Amino acid sequence: MTVLSPRPDLWTLDPDYVHLNHGSFGAVPRRTQELLALLRAEAEANPMRWFRSVPERLTASRLELAAFLQTDPAGFALVPNASAGVTAALSTIPIPAGSKLVLTNHAYGAVRYAAERFAKANRAEIVVVDVPLEADDDAVVAAVEAVLDERTAALIVDQISSATAMVFPIRRLAALCRSLGIASIVDGAHAPALLDAPAEDGADFWTGNFHKWPAAPRATAGLVVAEQWRTATLPLIVSWSEYDERLPERFDQQGTADYASWIAAPESLRVLADLEWPRRRSELSTLVDEGARILAKSLGTSVAEVAHPAATMRLVELPFPGERSPDAGEAFKEKVSRELKAEITLTGFDTRVFIRLSAHAYNSLHDYQRLAEWLPPML
Ligand SMILES: Cc1ncc(COP(=O)(O)O)c(C=O)c1O
């Protein structure tokens, strides 16, 4: 079988740079950008007419996005990002004084801050479960199970972690929570397009970004709510839909906002379909594996042994010993961008520092080879 060709031509990324960090902010294909521009032009030609048309267009978009996730559209709402999804979930569940909110040490920093805010406001406690980088599914479930008890209000857990690009056994964790009467909130920020039917693992709340791997316009994310919570779940901004009994429609109105991104988002799903996703995704796994091996070899380090890595991300260890400050990390990324014309991200876990490599349809092996050739002399 022939290997699919890289398609940088479908994006507008600056060809002078290698773009190896799709995972942080995504990148929007040309076709979707063009549609977005048309929609915004239409809005500016007649704002009154545009806003009258928004509800119907949002409904159509939501139905396509829900179908992509293979989830029940009645439990699917649009939110601007995974941070908003997690915040909405935390503002819905009861968090009694003295209860516990459980996270793992892989949790995304801003999600942990959200849990901290709600814990403080409710005089609850944050418990962080240590899950080793190399833990397999059984070890993850055992580590989480060991801390869940009758005081636990919720488990907040990544489906695919950011710093460690690891896939968590959500179906098992959600079932465990359900059996103990504990609410489960799944941070699936990276899951759409990397996992099939990611919202169907039985969590009480699931949120995920369309602006990452599905390459939708930014500020497009979903919140999937289990049936028993749908009436209680409210959007973070109080607007005209406050008393709408339907969950999705309640989230459609967030005051005067730019809804063009949400309306244009399905175009990116059509781009993925044209790219032969998920066959493409499986080839990108092979590509990022190979790219990570090449980079690790050039650095004299190794690729992190994550038991269940995300399809299109890998961690390559940096040779720096000990802890590096966030400021040093930012300065390093800036230097790599300026001097090597390569966009990368760094992540940290315990005292280890990694380059987290991504692969999307615009990448080719040459991108990783170029980084591998140029980075070692700079260190
Ligand atoms: C695991 C995880 N959770 C949450 C987020 C936050 O996503 P957003 O910035 O879209 O709210 C990210 C972003 O990278 C993430 O990787």
Side-chain angles (χ1 to χ4, degrees):
M1 197 161 53
T2 55
V3 174
L4 296 167
S5 310
R7 296 299 308 272
D9 55 305
L10 299 185
W11 272 262
T12 56
L13 292 163
D14 184 344
D16 288 345
Y17 284 72
V18 288
H19 301 272
L20 292 170
N21 182 26
H22 190 92
S24 285
F25 302 113
V28 182
R30 188 189 304 275
R31 240 169 79 182
T32 311
Q33 292 181 45
E34 285 168 0
L35 175 59
L36 201 52
L38 280 178
L39 291 170
R40 289 192 172 131
E42 194 186 325
E44 293 320 317
N46 188 337
M48 289 300 295
R49 212 175 96 145
W50 165 258
F51 275 98
R52 277 196 301 273
S53 79
V54 161
E56 199 177 316
R57 294 189 205 213
L58 280 184
T59 302
S61 174
R62 256 196 295 100
L63 293 176
E64 273 194 69
L65 296 171
F68 179 76
L69 294 178
Q70 299 173 49
T71 197
D72 174 9
F76 173 80
L78 286 165
V79 288
N81 45 53
S83 304
V86 168
T87 311
L90 282 167
S91 50
T92 305
I93 56 163
I95 305 174
S99 68
K100 302 195 282 197
L101 295 177
V102 174
L103 299 102
T104 79
N105 55 337
H106 297 246
Y108 187 71
V111 167
R112 178 166 169 164
Y113 290 163
E116 286 173 1
R117 182 193 285 190
F118 282 85
K120 252 183 247 156
N122 294 285
R123 285 181 289 120
E125 189 189 325
I126 296 284
V127 175
V128 178
V129 185
D130 272 326
V131 173
L133 186 59
E134 294 82 8
D136 63 10
D137 287 358
D138 289 342
V140 174
V141 174
V144 171
E145 188 167 17
V147 306
L148 299 182
D149 60 17
E150 66 290 345
R151 276 178 55 214
T152 309
L155 170 70
I156 303 139
V157 65
D158 301 277
Q159 191 161 31
I160 298 176
S161 54
S162 170
T164 50
M166 166 171 162
V167 181
F168 279 67
I170 295 304
R171 189 171 289 270
R172 289 175 64 184
L173 292 171
L176 177 63
C177 285
R178 187 137 302 192
S179 73
L180 297 169
I182 293 169
S184 55
I185 300 174
V186 170
D187 174 0
H190 282 278
L194 292 198
L195 298 173
D196 296 327
E200 294 307 284
D201 279 347
D204 289 313
F205 299 88
W206 174 95
T207 187
N209 284 331
F210 289 96
H211 53 228
K212 286 191 189 286
W213 298 98
R218 280 170 212 94
T220 308
L223 174 66
V224 173
V225 181
E227 206 155 346
Q228 73 270 26
W229 297 101
R230 285 181 195 168
T231 308
T233 305
L234 299 173
L236 299 175
I237 297 172
V238 182
S239 190
W240 287 103
S241 56
E242 181 70 359
Y243 297 108
D244 196 320
E245 284 175 7
R246 303 159 302 170
L247 170 101
E249 282 78 0
R250 220 155 46 226
F251 279 74
D252 276 357
Q253 281 194 41
Q254 293 284 274
T256 305
D258 181 359
Y259 295 102
S261 296
W262 289 0
I263 293 169
E267 189 67 13
S268 289
L269 305 183
R270 292 189 272 276
V271 173
L272 287 196
D274 291 351
L275 285 166
E276 297 184 50
W277 210 267
R279 178 184 159 202
R280 168 89 49 176
R281 177 180 68 199
S282 135
E283 293 191 4
L284 292 174
S285 290
T286 311
L287 174 67
V288 76
D289 262 337
E290 179 65 8
R293 262 198 303 273
I294 292 170
L295 180 62
K297 187 159 178 242
S298 78
L299 294 172
T301 63
S302 54
V303 182
E305 304 258 328
V306 178
H308 196 165
T312 53
M313 290 186 283
R314 293 294 178 276
L315 305 177
V316 176
E317 189 125 23
L318 271 181
F320 307 134
E323 300 219 30
R324 284 174 61 87
S325 69
D327 282 353
E330 285 309 311
F332 180 76
K333 286 188 279 185
E334 176 60 32
K335 190 166 154 77
V336 172
S337 173
R338 202 176 50 245
E339 295 180 12
L340 307 187
K341 292 202 181 307
E343 296 300 341
I344 56 156
T345 195
L346 299 182
T347 69
F349 189 73
D350 295 334
T351 57
R352 298 164 75 181
V353 184
F354 302 103
I355 294 181
R356 189 192 69 192
L357 292 175
S358 290
H360 209 293
Y362 48 79
N363 289 120
S364 58
L365 196 60
H366 178 254
D367 297 336
Y368 307 87
Q369 285 165 334
R370 182 167 139 181
L371 185 65
E373 191 182 326
W374 293 357
L375 188 59
M378 211 193 84
L379 294 178

